Amino acid sequence: LNAKRDAREGNVVKYKPFTLLHASDLHGVKEQLQRIVDYQKYYKQFIDSSIISGDIVLGTFDDDFTFFSDVDGAENIMLSIGNHDTAEEGSPIDWTAHVGQDSYEKFIKDFASTWGINEVVNKCYYYKDYADYAIRLIVVDCMENNSQEQLTWFENTLNGAKANEYAVVVITHYSPVRNELFECSFTS
């Protein structure tokens, strides 16, 4: 915030940029996770945070997730839920069988304190503030994209970022499917 105030007053401000390491669609491949962790460790002085935005397991909710705990350092990588992470095998596949508490307990609960997030218990959406950068990272659960509860939370979380003069980064596996336009109070 001081950098923003100084910039408004016309002072030249030098600051380190915020760097987010982002990956997606591991689909249960431990070697890919290991490569991400190795990259994160090698460039640790440049990377402020890391996230994998969905499809962590191979194909469905019941697939192996132990590979994540087997890779030293993976616990520091935040996770966002994807459609494969909530799916249940069947004909047809039920993509929403494990939305909410099941996925929270499998992918978020054990790591939330390590990530330092502001979580919603039993939900797979949360946010994290980076006060030194005046940035709020908001993770939205794409599998609850029509949930009024999540939309209300999202609106309040955005308003909180705006009140604090924080820039916002939104992470989700895929964008919400909506057929309507809506006003957004963020202009820059």
Side-chain angles (χ1 to χ4, degrees), residues 49-138:
S49 204
S50 302
I51 191 161
I52 297 171
S53 61
D55 286 358
I56 303 149
V57 296
L58 178 62
T60 63
F61 177 84
D62 290 325
D63 289 338
D64 180 44
F65 181 60
T66 59
F67 74 94
F68 199 82
S69 298
D70 291 343
V71 176
D72 184 41
E75 68 280 358
N76 299 316
I77 300 174
M78 294 180 289
L79 300 174
S80 171
I81 301 306
N83 54 312
H84 286 270
D85 304 319
T86 63
E88 185 166 289
E89 197 68 50
S91 184
I93 290 178
D94 181 355
W95 295 103
T96 61
H98 299 281
V99 171
Q101 185 172 354
D102 287 351
S103 292
Y104 169 82
E105 288 182 5
K106 183 172 184 172
F107 300 107
I108 308 291
K109 182 181 178 182
D110 292 341
F111 303 105
S113 62
T114 302
W115 299 340
I117 60 173
N118 294 286
E119 65 180 307
V120 179
V121 177
N122 294 327
K123 298 293 182 176
C124 296
Y125 47 90
Y126 57 88
Y127 74 91
K128 182 174 181 174
D129 286 338
Y130 299 88
D132 292 346
Y133 302 96
I135 290 175
R136 176 168 286 179
L137 177 86
I138 302 174

Side-chain angles (χ1 to χ4, degrees), residues 2-53:
N2 289 333
K4 286 185 177 190
R5 286 189 195 104
D6 286 345
R8 283 192 297 248
E9 295 170 8
N11 299 328
V12 176
V13 178
K14 293 184 179 180
Y15 59 93
K16 178 184 164 199
F18 178 77
T19 305
L20 178 67
L21 173 60
H22 171 248
S24 187
D25 295 85
L26 287 182
H27 287 288
V29 180
K30 181 179 177 179
E31 293 78 16
Q32 294 292 14
L33 178 60
Q34 185 66 59
R35 289 179 64 206
I36 293 165
V37 169
D38 291 346
Y39 187 90
Q40 177 182 318
K41 287 178 182 177
Y42 186 80
Y43 291 105
K44 66 183 174 190
Q45 72 271 26
F46 303 113
I47 297 173
D48 298 296
S49 204
S50 302
I51 191 161
I52 297 171
S53 61

Side-chain angles (χ1 to χ4, degrees), residues 140-181:
V140 177
D141 183 352
C142 68
M143 300 310 294
E144 288 201 44
N145 65 20
N146 290 319
S147 156
Q148 188 57 51
E149 180 183 351
Q150 180 176 230
L151 290 172
T152 300
W153 170 87
F154 184 58
E155 182 178 4
N156 292 336
T157 304
L158 284 172
N159 287 334
K162 186 176 183 182
N164 288 321
E165 297 183 346
Y166 277 26
V168 173
V169 175
V170 178
I171 299 289
T172 186
H173 183 62
Y174 57 74
S175 299
V177 179
R178 298 185 65 99
N179 293 326
E180 60 189 76
L181 296 175

